[in-house]
Amino acid sequence: MTETSETARSAAAQGADFRRHVFYIHGFDPRGTPVYHGHFRAGLSAASARWSRDIAVVESEEEALARGAWTVTSRGAPAGPRVETHYEMLPWTNIVGRYWFPRQQVRLAIESFRFAWTTWRRGILRRFYRPAWALFVAILMTPALLVLWGLAAAAAVVAGAALAMALGTALGAPPWVAIAAPLAVVLLVVAMLSMGWNRLKSWLNVWWVTRFLGYLRGCADGRFERSQDRAHEFAGRMFEVWKAGEVDEILVVGHSLGAVHLVRAGAQLLRLIPEGEDGPNTVLLTLGHTVPLYTLLGGDEEFRRDLAEIATTDRLRLLDVTSGSDPGSSCRISLVEGIDLGERRSRVISREPDFHDILEPETFRRIRMRPLEFHFQYLKPSERGHGFDYFELVTRPRPIETSVASP
């Protein structure tokens, strides 16, 4: 069962056996905290039943949204350990909004061709062909659909107009009818194709894919703001919590493009934490990331150094959970692909979420047909097995060592 907020407040007042502070960095999404708070609340009941824990949010929805943070209480058996998790959003929606380009479909269409050309010219498409097939398809999907739509529209218009003119001539229609009929057919064909395109782009989230790929290219080339200052702000907030020493563990989650900001913030956090000084256990977690795609686009040497630093340090733990079938991610490409680590060894612990094993077959079939829903599955409870489960991880009553629970 899931406790009410009042019961959760009472549980929080009793104290906790383990305290965790989660910092969540969202992806290329302008919608902000309400969407992610909604995702979390929607999963409470299922996660509680799934893991036999009473998991609840202390604050009301209004309080949580006003603060951009909420407190999660969790307890298993009556005498089991109590876990208190402070869940804090680290938003960058204003930056996303700057490069979202609403109602600029022509600009987005051109960007889709530019990105496909860039990745082909730099050998990225060839490199991603097998290990990141879903992303390979996503990169080529929009330009391919636009070309096919253009060809289909041209063929349908020509065929429809020719048929209308032929019928008009055969039936001995007046001259004005012979002219008006083809025009009417052309307008009808264009309207039907436009309706079909609108449905297709909504289903496949065509412009969302184009937007986040274009943002990566713009940052790599230096045309867009790389937001180092924002990442440093994030790191400063993390260090405040680390220095206070009031929690047992800090978990920083970078979902989707949020992983790029996690890399920058994680490296800055390392610079802020004094070497040799004890503090909360610190874990960085990337979910459905596109880090190697950004790295291989080139141009951002500082980012490459930051990634090498957090991937090889023993002062924090870096976990990666990314599905090989997620079109919004770099799939099975290593997080440190293309990074020169020198003599150092990568300490990144990577694994797939195995959605096909942790979800019921019907659920898995549904999300496979909905790319955006598939990409957000990382943030939802599992349904079976002992694989990755976001809620289990956030409320785990012990330090995080791996991304999955012990059977």
Side-chain angles (χ1 to χ4, degrees):
M1 60 175 286
T2 304
E3 301 173 4
T4 64
S5 291
E6 287 304 318
T7 308
R9 289 180 197 274
S10 175
Q14 296 175 15
D17 299 300
F18 193 89
R19 289 182 171 85
R20 176 178 289 113
H21 195 115
V22 174
F23 290 103
Y24 178 81
I25 308 174
H26 60 81
F28 198 71
D29 186 345
R31 297 174 297 175
T33 299
V35 169
Y36 294 91
H37 178 260
H39 275 305
F40 198 90
R41 278 195 184 272
L44 288 173
S45 296
S48 295
R50 176 78 179 82
W51 297 100
S52 300
R53 300 177 188 172
D54 290 325
I55 306 174
V57 172
V58 173
E59 295 84 0
S60 67
E61 182 176 358
E62 293 76 15
E63 291 173 318
L65 294 181
R67 294 173 53 205
W70 52 94
T71 305
V72 184
T73 60
S74 171
R75 186 171 183 176
R82 293 185 298 271
V83 180
E84 183 177 293
T85 301
H86 189 71
Y87 197 103
E88 181 175 346
M89 296 288 296
L90 295 179
W92 54 291
T93 47
N94 62 324
I95 298 172
V96 175
R98 201 175 303 153
Y99 303 111
W100 190 253
F101 304 124
R103 297 179 295 278
Q104 296 188 43
Q105 294 194 45
V106 173
R107 176 177 185 147
L108 294 173
I110 294 172
E111 176 58 39
S112 72
F113 286 97
R114 285 175 174 166
F115 193 88
W117 166 251
T118 298
T119 50
W120 177 82
R121 182 168 53 86
R122 297 180 185 178
I124 297 173
L125 279 179
R126 184 170 60 254
R127 200 166 187 169
F128 279 28
Y129 175 65
R130 288 187 181 278
W133 170 252
L135 180 59
F136 176 90
V137 171
I139 291 171
L140 297 179
M141 174 182 69
T142 303
L145 287 175
L146 289 169
V147 169
L148 289 174
W149 186 88
L151 292 174
V157 165
V158 170
L163 179 61
M165 291 177 65
L167 287 175
T169 302
L171 297 175
W176 69 269
V177 173
I179 296 174
L183 289 175
V185 170
V186 167
L187 292 175
L188 179 62
V189 169
V190 169
M192 292 179 65
L193 287 171
S194 295
M195 290 175 59
W197 168 252
N198 287 333
R199 295 187 66 177
L200 186 64
K201 73 178 183 183
S202 297
W203 171 43
L204 296 175
N205 301 106
V206 167
W207 294 140
W208 170 70
V209 173
T210 303
R211 285 180 170 109
F212 87 72
L213 293 177
Y215 175 75
L216 284 178
R217 190 176 77 92
C219 288
D221 293 347
R223 292 179 295 108
F224 293 174
E225 176 191 346
R226 289 174 177 165
S227 311
Q228 289 99 328
D229 290 344
R230 182 63 56 87
H232 287 188
E233 288 176 18
F234 291 168
R237 174 63 188 132
M238 295 171 198
F239 183 62
E240 286 179 13
V241 174
W242 187 95
K243 191 174 181 180
E246 296 176 354
V247 297
D248 301 292
E249 184 170 77
I250 295 173
L251 171 63
V252 186
V253 181
H255 177 223
S256 191
L257 260 69
V260 173
H261 293 281
L262 175 144
V263 169
R264 299 190 199 279
Q268 178 63 13
L269 177 61
L270 271 179
R271 299 179 194 114
L272 293 174
I273 296 175
E275 286 204 52
E277 187 171 325
D278 292 333
N281 184 50
T282 304
V283 180
L284 308 183
L285 172 66
T286 58
L287 300 175
H289 66 83
T290 51
V291 169
L293 176 58
Y294 181 65
T295 301
L296 294 172
L297 284 169
D300 194 341
E301 290 300 322
E302 183 180 352
F303 178 85
R304 298 164 75 90
R305 289 192 296 270
D306 287 346
L307 179 54
E309 187 173 355
I310 66 169
T312 57
T313 184
D314 60 358
R315 297 166 60 200
L316 53 75
R317 189 179 300 273
L318 178 54
L319 305 179
D320 167 43
V321 178
T322 298
S323 170
S325 303
D326 178 8
S329 77
S330 292
C331 304
R332 295 186 177 94
I333 302 292
S334 168
L335 190 74
V336 293
E337 181 80 8
I339 299 296
D340 182 11
L341 301 179
E343 301 273 329
R344 297 171 294 178
R345 179 179 63 87
S346 172
R347 301 174 63 89
V348 181
I349 302 174
S350 298
R351 67 165 296 136
E352 293 198 37
D354 297 326
F355 290 143
H356 60 288
D357 286 332
I358 66 171
L359 298 175
E360 297 295 344
E362 181 180 351
T363 304
F364 184 67
R365 284 194 297 269
R366 187 188 73 247
I367 68 171
R368 282 295 299 270
M369 299 301 294
R370 295 172 172 83
L372 192 59
E373 189 173 345
F374 193 104
H375 192 58
F376 274 84
Q377 185 60 47
Y378 300 96
L379 307 179
K380 300 178 182 179
S382 61
E383 295 175 343
R384 60 179 185 171
H386 293 279
F388 172 74
D389 187 294
Y390 189 64
F391 283 80
E392 186 282 324
L393 196 71
V394 166
T395 62
R396 189 176 295 178
R398 58 187 179 279
I400 295 170
E401 296 182 355
T402 67
S403 58
V404 297
S406 300

